[in-house]
Amino acid sequence: MRVNDKVLVENINDYFTHKGLSPNLIDDIKGKLKKELKKSEAQDLDYIEYRRKSPAEIILTIQRNLFTLQLNPIVFFIINFILLSYLYDKQYVPFQAATGLSIFYCLIILPISIFIYLRIDWKNYLYSNKFERIIGLSVAAVALILVFAHAFGFDLGIVAVTIYAHQFVFFVGIIFSISGIYFRRLEFTGIGLLFCQKTIDAMISNPIVTQIASIVIWVLLLIVIIYYTIRISSRK
């Protein structure tokens, strides 16, 4: 490792140690930086020359990305939880129907939000995530428009769908819930449970059993939210 690159790694370590970041996160940052150093070494350049940035600018970029990385799951969960709760009308499920807004959310907004979530999660700390921020703000703006549209009764009509469509959404919720637990992404578990709660009527015809199952799902969802909130608040 070149001398200036070694100094940069040490500066990053000292700065974020002083900021109180966990050792695992600091090691992850340094690991990604060391992989990047191979690119500059291949051109026989110091990393700051390769990037044409000062050490302070590199550290600032990392700090901004860390902030975005910490907010990413929270924003993802809040936006999707609000939209799913507000737009996916449970009363239409037994009648094999759905509002146009809920279909738009499931087919457009949810996939885009997942794409942004994963892009930010996989993003290298060392490069700007301006593209993801712009798309994220656009999705948030569209989400706000959808909420206001629903509030004023503009639901893009009632669309007839088969019971299998709601059942498919239910199984998507199951997949989200299980994968969220397995990969420790409780924001996906929360969204998945809400999908299941919204579409439980498509799976169970007995209204009493449906009501009990719905209550159980709400309790599980509440537990997930409480635990998730505690985990987020205790994160450094």
mmCIF file with all atom_site columns, all heavy atoms in Angstrom, residues 3 6 17 23 29 68 108 138 142:
data_model
loop_
_atom_site.group_PDB
_atom_site.id
_atom_site.type_symbol
_atom_site.label_atom_id
_atom_site.label_alt_id
_atom_site.label_comp_id
_atom_site.label_asym_id
_atom_site.label_entity_id
_atom_site.label_seq_id
_atom_site.pdbx_PDB_ins_code
_atom_site.Cartn_x
_atom_site.Cartn_y
_atom_site.Cartn_z
_atom_site.occupancy
_atom_site.B_iso_or_equiv
_atom_site.pdbx_formal_charge
_atom_site.auth_seq_id
_atom_site.auth_comp_id
_atom_site.auth_asym_id
_atom_site.auth_atom_id
_atom_site.pdbx_PDB_model_num
ATOM 1  N N   . VAL A 1 3   ? 2.193   5.043  0.650   1.00 0.00 ? 3   VAL A N   1
ATOM 2  C CA  . VAL A 1 3   ? 2.259   5.754  1.932   1.00 0.00 ? 3   VAL A CA  1
ATOM 3  C C   . VAL A 1 3   ? 1.052   6.667  2.127   1.00 0.00 ? 3   VAL A C   1
ATOM 4  O O   . VAL A 1 3   ? 0.401   6.654  3.185   1.00 0.00 ? 3   VAL A O   1
ATOM 5  C CB  . VAL A 1 3   ? 3.568   6.578  2.020   1.00 0.00 ? 3   VAL A CB  1
ATOM 6  C CG1 . VAL A 1 3   ? 3.566   7.410  3.306   1.00 0.00 ? 3   VAL A CG1 1
ATOM 7  C CG2 . VAL A 1 3   ? 4.776   5.666  1.984   1.00 0.00 ? 3   VAL A CG2 1
ATOM 8  N N   . LYS A 1 6   ? -2.050  4.732  2.830   1.00 0.00 ? 6   LYS A N   1
ATOM 9  C CA  . LYS A 1 6   ? -2.054  4.222  4.207   1.00 0.00 ? 6   LYS A CA  1
ATOM 10 C C   . LYS A 1 6   ? -2.473  5.315  5.183   1.00 0.00 ? 6   LYS A C   1
ATOM 11 O O   . LYS A 1 6   ? -3.241  5.068  6.123   1.00 0.00 ? 6   LYS A O   1
ATOM 12 C CB  . LYS A 1 6   ? -0.668  3.694  4.562   1.00 0.00 ? 6   LYS A CB  1
ATOM 13 C CG  . LYS A 1 6   ? -0.600  3.019  5.923   1.00 0.00 ? 6   LYS A CG  1
ATOM 14 C CD  . LYS A 1 6   ? 0.780   2.437  6.178   1.00 0.00 ? 6   LYS A CD  1
ATOM 15 C CE  . LYS A 1 6   ? 0.828   1.740  7.535   1.00 0.00 ? 6   LYS A CE  1
ATOM 16 N NZ  . LYS A 1 6   ? 2.180   1.160  7.803   1.00 0.00 ? 6   LYS A NZ  1
ATOM 17 N N   . THR A 1 17  ? -13.816 6.527  14.213  1.00 0.00 ? 17  THR A N   1
ATOM 18 C CA  . THR A 1 17  ? -13.715 6.037  15.589  1.00 0.00 ? 17  THR A CA  1
ATOM 19 C C   . THR A 1 17  ? -14.086 7.152  16.556  1.00 0.00 ? 17  THR A C   1
ATOM 20 O O   . THR A 1 17  ? -14.805 6.937  17.536  1.00 0.00 ? 17  THR A O   1
ATOM 21 C CB  . THR A 1 17  ? -12.284 5.541  15.881  1.00 0.00 ? 17  THR A CB  1
ATOM 22 O OG1 . THR A 1 17  ? -11.966 4.462  14.997  1.00 0.00 ? 17  THR A OG1 1
ATOM 23 C CG2 . THR A 1 17  ? -12.171 5.058  17.322  1.00 0.00 ? 17  THR A CG2 1
ATOM 24 N N   . PRO A 1 23  ? -17.024 -0.685 15.395  1.00 0.00 ? 23  PRO A N   1
ATOM 25 C CA  . PRO A 1 23  ? -15.820 -1.226 14.735  1.00 0.00 ? 23  PRO A CA  1
ATOM 26 C C   . PRO A 1 23  ? -16.138 -2.021 13.471  1.00 0.00 ? 23  PRO A C   1
ATOM 27 O O   . PRO A 1 23  ? -15.382 -1.961 12.495  1.00 0.00 ? 23  PRO A O   1
ATOM 28 C CB  . PRO A 1 23  ? -15.211 -2.127 15.817  1.00 0.00 ? 23  PRO A CB  1
ATOM 29 C CG  . PRO A 1 23  ? -15.707 -1.553 17.110  1.00 0.00 ? 23  PRO A CG  1
ATOM 30 C CD  . PRO A 1 23  ? -17.085 -1.048 16.818  1.00 0.00 ? 23  PRO A CD  1
ATOM 31 N N   . ILE A 1 29  ? -15.996 -0.089 5.962   1.00 0.00 ? 29  ILE A N   1
ATOM 32 C CA  . ILE A 1 29  ? -15.580 1.080  5.172   1.00 0.00 ? 29  ILE A CA  1
ATOM 33 C C   . ILE A 1 29  ? -14.141 0.904  4.686   1.00 0.00 ? 29  ILE A C   1
ATOM 34 O O   . ILE A 1 29  ? -13.834 1.124  3.507   1.00 0.00 ? 29  ILE A O   1
ATOM 35 C CB  . ILE A 1 29  ? -15.701 2.370  6.016   1.00 0.00 ? 29  ILE A CB  1
ATOM 36 C CG1 . ILE A 1 29  ? -17.167 2.655  6.345   1.00 0.00 ? 29  ILE A CG1 1
ATOM 37 C CG2 . ILE A 1 29  ? -15.093 3.556  5.267   1.00 0.00 ? 29  ILE A CG2 1
ATOM 38 C CD1 . ILE A 1 29  ? -17.354 3.781  7.345   1.00 0.00 ? 29  ILE A CD1 1
ATOM 39 N N   . THR A 1 68  ? -27.230 8.391  4.710   1.00 0.00 ? 68  THR A N   1
ATOM 40 C CA  . THR A 1 68  ? -28.251 7.872  3.794   1.00 0.00 ? 68  THR A CA  1
ATOM 41 C C   . THR A 1 68  ? -28.499 6.393  4.045   1.00 0.00 ? 68  THR A C   1
ATOM 42 O O   . THR A 1 68  ? -29.639 5.922  4.020   1.00 0.00 ? 68  THR A O   1
ATOM 43 C CB  . THR A 1 68  ? -27.814 8.086  2.332   1.00 0.00 ? 68  THR A CB  1
ATOM 44 O OG1 . THR A 1 68  ? -27.559 9.475  2.110   1.00 0.00 ? 68  THR A OG1 1
ATOM 45 C CG2 . THR A 1 68  ? -28.887 7.613  1.365   1.00 0.00 ? 68  THR A CG2 1
ATOM 46 N N   . ILE A 1 108 ? -45.873 -0.347 -9.554  1.00 0.00 ? 108 ILE A N   1
ATOM 47 C CA  . ILE A 1 108 ? -44.906 0.702  -9.903  1.00 0.00 ? 108 ILE A CA  1
ATOM 48 C C   . ILE A 1 108 ? -44.111 1.183  -8.689  1.00 0.00 ? 108 ILE A C   1
ATOM 49 O O   . ILE A 1 108 ? -42.878 1.072  -8.654  1.00 0.00 ? 108 ILE A O   1
ATOM 50 C CB  . ILE A 1 108 ? -45.612 1.912  -10.564 1.00 0.00 ? 108 ILE A CB  1
ATOM 51 C CG1 . ILE A 1 108 ? -46.435 1.453  -11.776 1.00 0.00 ? 108 ILE A CG1 1
ATOM 52 C CG2 . ILE A 1 108 ? -44.576 2.965  -10.964 1.00 0.00 ? 108 ILE A CG2 1
ATOM 53 C CD1 . ILE A 1 108 ? -45.622 0.862  -12.899 1.00 0.00 ? 108 ILE A CD1 1
ATOM 54 N N   . SER A 1 138 ? -38.213 11.647 -5.763  1.00 0.00 ? 138 SER A N   1
ATOM 55 C CA  . SER A 1 138 ? -39.301 11.571 -6.747  1.00 0.00 ? 138 SER A CA  1
ATOM 56 C C   . SER A 1 138 ? -40.374 10.595 -6.289  1.00 0.00 ? 138 SER A C   1
ATOM 57 O O   . SER A 1 138 ? -41.579 10.876 -6.394  1.00 0.00 ? 138 SER A O   1
ATOM 58 C CB  . SER A 1 138 ? -38.746 11.144 -8.112  1.00 0.00 ? 138 SER A CB  1
ATOM 59 O OG  . SER A 1 138 ? -37.773 12.053 -8.576  1.00 0.00 ? 138 SER A OG  1
ATOM 60 N N   . VAL A 1 142 ? -44.266 11.374 -5.423  1.00 0.00 ? 142 VAL A N   1
ATOM 61 C CA  . VAL A 1 142 ? -45.382 10.623 -6.014  1.00 0.00 ? 142 VAL A CA  1
ATOM 62 C C   . VAL A 1 142 ? -46.243 10.006 -4.916  1.00 0.00 ? 142 VAL A C   1
ATOM 63 O O   . VAL A 1 142 ? -47.478 10.000 -5.006  1.00 0.00 ? 142 VAL A O   1
ATOM 64 C CB  . VAL A 1 142 ? -44.854 9.531  -6.964  1.00 0.00 ? 142 VAL A CB  1
ATOM 65 C CG1 . VAL A 1 142 ? -45.991 8.628  -7.429  1.00 0.00 ? 142 VAL A CG1 1
ATOM 66 C CG2 . VAL A 1 142 ? -44.166 10.159 -8.168  1.00 0.00 ? 142 VAL A CG2 1
#
